[in-house]
Each structure stands twice: as C-alpha cells, then as structure tokens.
Amino acid sequence: QVTLMESGGGSVQAGGSLRLSCTSSTLINDRYCMGWFRQAPGKEREGVAFIYSGGGRPDYAASVEGRFTISQDTSALTVYLQMNSLEPEDTAMYYCAATKVYGSCPRPLAISFGYWGQGTQVTVSS
C-alpha cells in the first residue's frame, strides 16, 4: 500500500517562500515519477512540477518556471518543492502525485498518476 504524505504548506505574503515535502511510505517501483499538482477553487487540477527517479531535467509548468524548484532524495523516497517569489495566483491546494514509469515522467495529466497525497494548502496574500 503506497501512501504519500505531504507537509510544508501554509500562508505567506506575496514574494515569500515555502517548501513542500512529499514522502512515500514504500518504494513505488524501481523507477517512478513524483511531483506536484495544484487546484484552486473553481479551477481544474494543474500539473506544477515533476521529477523522474532516474534523473534528468525536471518538468515545470510555465507559470512556475524560474520560481519553483523540485528536487528529490530517492533514498528517502521524498521529493521537495521549493517555492520562491510566491504570488497570490499560486494559492491552491497542492497535491503530491506519483506513478510507476520507465524512461521519463508522463505528460502532467492527473489521469497519468495513480498515487496521490491528501493535499496541503498554500495561501499567498497580496
């Protein structure tokens, strides 16, 4: 049973930073992709950042490129999302997601990911 546990959400003012963490309770597969989606009220779930356990360049949404950085500690089954220069538009529930995959991360569509965390709220005030 795979459980993804998120932490690190909170409230900050615009321009501030937050760091999210997501740890898997068990090894998902010898190769996998982990990352983050977010969903604001009334909006669809949006892929934010993803990283492949085998290495390579992470994938970012255009809206966060240059401000957010995803990293991983595969020995700890953990991914991190460092969020800098936060904007009110970043306010959302952030969900950790993972999937078994070989080669690279799939397209950042929710349907491509089979494992999900409960979500952590990020609120950015202006």
Side-chain angles (χ1 to χ4, degrees), residues 113-125:
F113 290 78
Y115 304 102
W116 291 86
Q118 293 297 308
T120 185
Q121 178 68 36
V122 171
T123 303
V124 184
S125 58

Side-chain angles (χ1 to χ4, degrees), residues 51-124:
I51 191 164
Y52 176 57
S53 64
R57 186 182 182 279
D59 298 320
Y60 294 97
S63 58
V64 306
E65 185 97 49
R67 300 187 298 121
F68 291 11
T69 302
I70 189 169
S71 59
Q72 64 183 339
D73 180 348
T74 54
S75 64
L77 305 179
T78 299
V79 294
Y80 306 95
L81 186 67
Q82 178 65 43
M83 305 185 293
N84 298 328
S85 301
L86 282 161
E87 303 168 351
E89 292 73 22
D90 296 315
T91 296
M93 185 71 78
Y94 283 69
Y95 296 92
C96 180
T99 187
K100 303 176 184 178
V101 68
Y102 291 96
S104 63
C105 284
R107 292 182 64 192
L109 301 175
I111 196 172
S112 299
F113 290 78
Y115 304 102
W116 291 86
Q118 293 297 308
T120 185
Q121 178 68 36
V122 171
T123 303
V124 184

Side-chain angles (χ1 to χ4, degrees), residues 30-71:
D30 56 338
R31 287 290 183 254
Y32 56 89
C33 175
M34 282 181 74
W36 299 88
F37 287 82
R38 67 185 180 185
Q39 189 166 19
K43 295 189 176 181
E44 292 189 357
R45 194 164 293 193
E46 171 193 25
V48 176
F50 302 89
I51 191 164
Y52 176 57
S53 64
R57 186 182 182 279
D59 298 320
Y60 294 97
S63 58
V64 306
E65 185 97 49
R67 300 187 298 121
F68 291 11
T69 302
I70 189 169
S71 59

Side-chain angles (χ1 to χ4, degrees), residues 13-32:
Q13 291 191 326
S17 299
L18 285 173
R19 189 192 197 208
L20 305 183
S21 299
C22 174
T23 299
S24 178
S25 60
T26 188
L27 183 64
I28 298 166
N29 197 42
D30 56 338
R31 287 290 183 254
Y32 56 89

